[in-house]
Amino acid sequence: MAVAFTFPGQGSQAVGMGKDLADAFPESRKIFEEVDDALGENLSKLIWEGPEETLTLTANAQPALMAVSLAAIRALESRGFSLKDKVAYVAGHSLGEYSALAAAGFVSVADAARLLRIRGNAMQATVPAGEGAMAAIIGLEQADVEAACAEAAKGSAKDSVCQIANDNGGGQLVISGARAAVELAAKLCTEKGAKRALMLQVSAPFHSALMAPAAEVMRNALAEVTKNAPLVPVVSNVSVTPSSDPDAIARRLVEQVTGRVRWRETVEWFGANGIATLYEVGAGKVLSGLARRINRDIATGAVGTAADVEAALVALA
């Protein structure tokens, strides 16, 4: 099998996403109802009507993006598609790993929604607003970015955290940590020749050591849910290796909270292991764009709308 499914992370959300799936497929609408029931609120209304600033909040965006991805999967399955038969691996960018795992049956949709709400709240609460930051570094070698982070990471333990959070490929790295350290590292990256060093409008320093308390929250939360072997192996963000072992997957989800999202390496791994096509399942086409910059030999497709579902069913028949 030469197909892998990937699932988008935070930043891909948009008001109205998934609405045409829910309108076209009863099975997709049921996913949104399941998520609403699991969270005890009408998240679907927020997804489809906004306001955007409320949807963008971490605690809302994470389960919302998962809901759209699973709605797309259910639409495919309603027409006879089998993930186990047609897809070799799944992977997701940050929160998208939970979407991938729910699609593969590792956890139920309801548990995935609750876990992502817990994850979003924990990540937001761990660092007071304004104390953490993230920055995108464009066009600088990883070694130079790591050197800038190391140089900026001086001072007290709390103020010295600065590390690469995302290796997105295509010359894009994201750094995360204490605000002062990240701002200094961004300045140093510019001096080292980065094309751009852009401070990001995010609510917390995700995927940094400052998220350690949130990692413990997730360790406890994951211990409370039923976990199954996924239908297809998931390629982990932090290890870039496939696994079907529930305990190993749970450990990697905990490590992911503070660890680097190794997306460039993930796409490279797919290319080295026979994957010819990557489908991005859910909202937006961010991962498809990254994949094309990382490995032009891998074809990309999207499954985020009813029309996409019909096209994918033909291509994957």
Side-chain angles (χ1 to χ4, degrees):
M1 290 182 290
V3 172
F5 274 13
T6 63
F7 296 78
Q10 204 161 332
S12 290
Q13 69 275 355
V15 173
M17 61 183 183
K19 182 64 166 64
D20 76 326
L21 288 171
D23 289 343
F25 300 97
E27 296 83 359
S28 297
R29 178 169 287 277
K30 186 177 178 182
I31 287 292
F32 290 104
E33 293 170 354
E34 284 184 52
V35 170
D36 289 348
D37 289 345
L39 299 180
E41 63 186 66
N42 194 348
L43 186 67
S44 299
K45 186 175 189 294
L46 175 62
I47 295 170
W48 296 332
E49 299 178 15
E52 183 179 3
E53 58 269 22
T54 305
L55 176 61
T56 301
L57 293 174
T58 298
N60 293 328
Q62 295 199 15
L65 283 162
M66 184 278 297
V68 176
S69 290
L70 268 292
I73 289 289
R74 291 294 184 268
L76 289 171
E77 292 176 341
S78 74
R79 299 284 297 277
F81 175 83
S82 168
L83 189 77
K84 184 177 181 180
D85 293 339
K86 296 291 187 179
V87 175
Y89 303 101
V90 295
H93 191 286
S94 191
L95 80 89
E97 194 163 328
Y98 285 79
S99 305
L101 287 164
F106 171 74
V107 290
S108 69
V109 172
D111 279 341
R114 286 188 285 262
L115 285 168
L116 285 170
R117 172 56 58 81
I118 292 167
R119 184 178 184 267
N121 283 332
M123 294 172 98
Q124 186 61 64
T126 293
V127 179
E131 290 190 9
M134 300 179 77
I137 310 299
I138 311 297
L140 192 63
E141 292 295 325
Q142 181 171 312
D144 290 327
V145 177
E146 288 177 338
C149 288
E151 187 174 345
K154 296 175 181 176
S156 69
K158 184 178 180 181
D159 295 333
S160 67
V161 173
C162 186
Q163 64 194 82
I164 295 176
N166 296 5
D167 178 3
N168 287 330
Q172 181 189 116
L173 295 159
V174 176
I175 61 175
S176 181
R179 176 168 293 277
V182 170
E183 289 174 344
L184 176 55
K187 178 175 179 291
L188 293 170
C189 286
T190 300
E191 294 172 356
K192 290 175 179 287
K195 293 178 182 177
R196 293 189 72 189
L198 177 68
M199 298 300 294
L200 300 179
Q201 297 300 313
V202 296
S203 54
F206 304 125
H207 299 290
S208 77
L210 295 177
M211 291 285 106
E216 287 307 306
V217 170
M218 292 313 299
R219 189 189 310 279
N220 294 331
L222 283 158
E224 296 298 318
V225 300
T226 299
K227 296 175 285 293
N228 309 299
L231 296 172
V232 297
V234 59
V235 180
S236 162
N237 281 190
V238 295
S239 69
V240 198
T241 54
S243 179
S244 296
D245 177 70
D247 291 335
I249 290 169
R251 286 195 300 272
R252 288 170 181 171
L253 288 174
V254 174
E255 294 167 7
Q256 187 216 63
V257 177
T258 57
R260 184 180 303 182
V261 177
R262 298 164 62 186
W263 198 251
R264 173 184 57 82
E265 294 173 78
T266 299
V267 174
E268 290 174 346
W269 187 93
F270 283 139
N273 286 273
I275 296 301
T277 306
L278 290 177
Y279 278 90
E280 182 170 5
V281 184
K285 298 182 180 179
V286 171
L287 299 184
S288 298
L290 292 176
R292 286 192 293 271
R293 290 197 290 270
I294 295 166
N295 186 340
R296 291 188 176 276
D297 292 331
I298 298 179
T300 60
V303 187
T305 66
D308 290 340
V309 169
E310 299 298 341
L313 286 167
V314 172
L316 293 167

